[in-house]
Amino acid sequence: MSAALTVVGLGSGDADQLTVGIIKKMKHAATLYVRTLDHPVLNDLKQEGLVMTSFDAIYEAKSSFPEVYDEIANQLIEAARKGEAGTEVVYAVPGHPMVAEASVRLLKERCPQMGISLRVMGGESFLDEAFIRLGFDPIEGFQLLDASSLNTELVQPQLHTLIGQVYDVFTASDVKLCLMEVYPDDYPVFVGHALGVEGQEVIHKIPLHELDRIEGYGNLSLIYVPKNTDDALRRRSFARLHEIVNILRSPGGCPWDQEQTHQSIRKNLIEETYEVIETIDEDDPDHMKEELGDLLLQILLHSQMEEEVGTFNVYDVIEGLNDKLIFRHPHVFGDNQAEDANEALQNWEQMKAEEKKRKGQDQQKVSVLDGIPRDLPALMKGYKLQKKAAKVGFDWDDVEGVFAKIEEELAELKEAVQQGQSAEERKLELGDLLFAAANVARFIDTDPEEALAATNRKFVGRFQYIEERLREQGRTPADSNVEEMEQFWQDAKKAGL
């Protein structure tokens, strides 16, 4: 048999707020432990003769909070195991034992496994004082967040927000940077120290950007961010985007959006993709931001159409993508290793093959060429087909073999033209030549689509140079001749176009 273990809450800091039951427990404990002596109530209790052991030294000995709380839980369990049956080990924590107390959470997990009786007695938490001193009603919508693990995805402006465990100015600085991703820099926030403790309570109302300029942060500090239903604060959230698209498609929304189907906006998806690519080629971040938004809208619209008939919604799309990314990156989220990009790509391909097996696809009927979209641009598709075939050995030994193939295909195209073969035959011979030219790209580590796109841009720049020079003379290309335009073309080349 072992001693019982009881956890009690010391409240938010005022001794008058302690219950009689908790005071009795602490006075009659076989052994009294406190997580930290840095709490106003304990000064009063020590003056009444209570003997207690604190875990403050563990904070100095360990390098992280999880290690601290793990060690505290271990020592308490060991003390209970060694205690005499019928006695009680009492562990006192600031506030309420079930509010922001990691060591108590560990005890609740481990004590049943060790056969130790665990009882938790609540005390007033800092939340009770926050509701009173900061003057808001949690029924309006409220969230409690931990400063040490805060991120923008957790912050919901439409809720009153309390942020606890703001132990120092460095933590306050991290909180400030996180909140400034959601709120304006001058958004009013409150910093509370020792709420409800007579003679120690301090409340500051400040603009958000001054959050790390306030002194006095410690164990009894918190940050309060008042709720705000202004739609402007939700504009950066994905949830708001989903809501807007739903409104556009719903009765009373936009008549045009309501009428669209997957097929009717199919071309929009293609066009928006190419507009994004154009901003990438032009190295125009501002325009890219806009065009990525337009592309994202297409994804939301297609997902919304499926949500309306109950097949899936955009959050199912996100879940599937998250699962795929984690599964295909075992070198990041698992135990595999990848020293460079090539090894990472190999892991990706291996996991893709594993996915197919799990989906029950008949590997004997799977083609090496599977997985390439049917409607890819022809040059890009040809390049990808060649890459897949090369992985299983269907390839030239070196680039010289490809050059010879290009010469062969060029000769066949010339012959088809010179002999007056049909348009269909000439088209096929031209396709063979382009396919062979694309094959060179793999050997020189160049994407043929990007290479041709660069040449297209170069052609546009030089031809527009010709037009500009002729325009200065009051003429157009139609008024000029090939020789004159060729001279301007050479000038454009010298100008670096």
Side-chain angles (χ1 to χ4, degrees):
M1 296 292 291
S2 58
L5 177 59
T6 299
V7 183
V8 300
L10 295 173
S12 57
D14 193 323
D16 292 338
Q17 296 165 349
L18 284 179
T19 67
V20 174
I22 287 178
I23 294 176
K24 286 182 177 180
K25 279 289 179 186
M26 296 174 69
K27 287 183 175 181
H28 296 108
T31 310
L32 174 61
Y33 292 93
V34 295
R35 178 164 65 76
T36 176
L37 290 172
D38 187 14
H39 193 277
V41 166
L42 296 179
N43 292 327
D44 296 336
L45 294 179
K46 283 193 293 184
Q47 290 177 6
E48 295 183 16
L50 262 70
V51 177
M52 59 196 73
T53 301
S54 85
F55 292 116
D56 285 322
I58 297 178
Y59 286 88
E60 300 296 328
K62 300 296 181 180
S63 59
S64 68
F65 285 124
E67 290 179 305
V68 169
Y69 302 135
D70 181 72
E71 180 62 21
I72 289 175
N74 288 339
Q75 289 193 22
L76 286 169
I77 289 173
E78 185 63 19
R81 288 181 63 242
K82 291 181 177 179
E84 296 181 7
T87 63
E88 194 169 31
V89 173
V90 175
Y91 173 46
V93 298
H96 191 289
M98 296 304 296
V99 178
E101 279 296 336
S103 60
V104 177
R105 185 173 63 250
L106 293 174
L107 290 173
K108 286 177 66 65
E109 293 174 0
R110 298 176 184 176
C111 283
Q113 301 171 3
M114 304 297 295
I116 294 173
S117 172
L118 176 67
R119 181 186 180 191
V120 177
M121 296 178 64
E124 183 183 73
S125 78
F126 68 91
L127 296 179
D128 300 280
E129 285 299 323
F131 299 148
I132 296 171
R133 308 304 296 167
L134 298 172
F136 69 93
D137 186 346
I139 198 66
E140 297 173 357
F142 158 73
Q143 61 177 351
L144 172 63
L145 301 177
D146 182 347
S148 65
S149 58
L150 190 65
N151 64 69
T152 55
E153 293 182 0
L154 298 174
V155 179
Q156 302 181 61
Q158 69 273 24
L159 302 178
H160 292 290
T161 301
L162 282 180
I163 303 171
Q165 311 215 68
V166 191
Y167 296 126
D168 51 41
V169 71
F170 302 106
T171 307
S173 180
D174 291 340
V175 171
K176 179 187 79 170
L177 294 175
C178 178
L179 293 179
M180 286 172 64
E181 292 290 323
V182 180
Y183 299 91
D185 294 357
D186 59 352
Y187 193 79
V189 298
F190 295 81
V191 177
H193 301 311
L195 296 183
V197 182
E198 186 176 354
Q200 298 185 39
E201 176 182 285
V202 178
I203 298 177
H204 301 281
K205 181 181 180 181
I206 56 172
L208 175 58
H209 64 83
E210 293 185 5
L211 199 56
D212 53 357
R213 301 176 188 175
I214 297 297
E215 296 181 351
Y217 285 108
N219 291 333
L220 301 181
S221 299
L222 58 79
I223 293 169
Y224 167 53
V225 186
K227 68 176 292 185
N228 191 310
T229 56
D230 186 349
D231 190 56
L233 291 181
R234 297 185 61 216
R235 285 184 301 178
R236 292 173 64 88
S237 73
F238 189 84
R240 178 55 175 157
L241 175 60
H242 178 236
E243 181 182 329
I244 289 172
V245 173
N246 179 49
I247 292 172
L248 292 175
R249 289 274 302 173
S250 65
C254 173
W256 184 89
D257 287 290
Q258 293 167 357
E259 292 179 359
Q260 300 315 303
T261 65
H262 289 305
Q263 286 300 320
S264 70
I265 62 171
R266 177 181 180 274
K267 64 182 184 301
N268 298 40
L269 182 59
I270 298 172
E271 290 171 2
E272 298 297 353
T273 301
Y274 278 106
E275 288 180 9
V276 171
I277 292 173
E278 183 176 340
T279 67
I280 294 172
D281 292 339
E282 294 176 351
D283 192 21
D284 186 348
D286 289 336
H287 194 193
M288 184 190 302
K289 177 179 66 176
E290 177 185 352
E291 295 300 340
L292 284 172
D294 292 343
L295 180 58
L296 181 58
L297 172 60
Q298 299 305 309
I299 296 171
L300 265 293
L301 283 170
H302 285 286
S303 299
Q304 182 64 34
M305 292 173 191
E306 291 302 314
E307 182 175 347
E308 291 162 6
V309 296
T311 51
F312 65 82
N313 60 35
V314 71
Y315 294 102
D316 295 318
V317 174
I318 293 171
E319 179 185 27
L321 177 58
N322 285 337
D323 290 344
K324 179 186 293 185
L325 289 174
I326 293 171
F327 184 77
R328 293 190 183 179
H329 289 85
H331 49 286
V332 178
F333 302 103
D335 298 327
N336 288 24
Q337 299 294 321
E339 299 298 330
D340 53 34
N342 286 333
E343 287 190 25
L345 185 58
Q346 289 175 5
N347 283 337
W348 178 273
E349 295 296 340
Q350 289 171 1
M351 301 315 290
K352 280 180 65 176
E354 179 63 24
E355 281 179 351
K356 291 179 180 179
K357 290 181 181 179
R358 294 188 179 189
K359 291 178 181 178
Q361 296 182 4
D362 188 343
Q363 297 301 302
Q364 294 181 346
K365 296 182 179 180
V366 171
S367 170
V368 169
L369 305 180
D370 285 348
I372 299 177
R374 180 189 60 195
D375 295 325
L376 271 184
L379 183 61
M380 184 184 299
K381 186 170 184 177
Y383 175 65
K384 288 183 174 293
L385 289 170
Q386 293 161 3
K387 284 185 68 175
K388 281 184 171 283
K391 288 180 180 179
V392 294
F394 191 74
D395 198 9
W396 302 96
D397 292 333
D398 53 47
V399 72
E400 294 301 324
V402 187
F403 287 146
K405 186 63 176 176
I406 290 175
E407 293 173 0
E408 176 188 328
E409 298 297 352
L410 178 59
E412 292 180 2
L413 175 60
K414 287 181 179 179
E415 183 179 345
V417 173
Q418 292 167 354
Q419 293 182 359
Q421 295 180 12
S422 68
E424 181 66 21
E425 290 172 320
R426 296 197 300 273
K427 179 178 72 174
L428 292 174
E429 293 299 346
L430 177 60
D432 290 343
L433 176 61
L434 293 173
F435 192 82
N439 221 341
V440 176
R442 292 185 302 104
F443 285 90
I444 63 173
D445 196 25
T446 298
D447 188 303
E449 192 76 24
E450 294 178 4
L452 185 55
T455 296
N456 289 341
R457 291 194 298 273
K458 180 171 61 179
F459 179 85
V460 169
R462 291 178 183 178
F463 192 81
Q464 289 177 342
Y465 179 92
I466 295 172
E467 291 178 312
E468 183 62 27
R469 299 289 78 78
L470 290 172
R471 192 177 296 114
E472 291 171 355
Q473 301 175 9
R475 297 188 296 152
T476 68
D479 304 324
S480 184
N481 56 55
V482 172
E483 289 76 16
E484 186 178 19
M485 286 191 284
E486 174 61 25
Q487 182 57 54
F488 284 134
W489 179 274
Q490 294 303 323
D491 292 344
K493 286 180 64 175
K494 292 177 182 178
L497 297 178

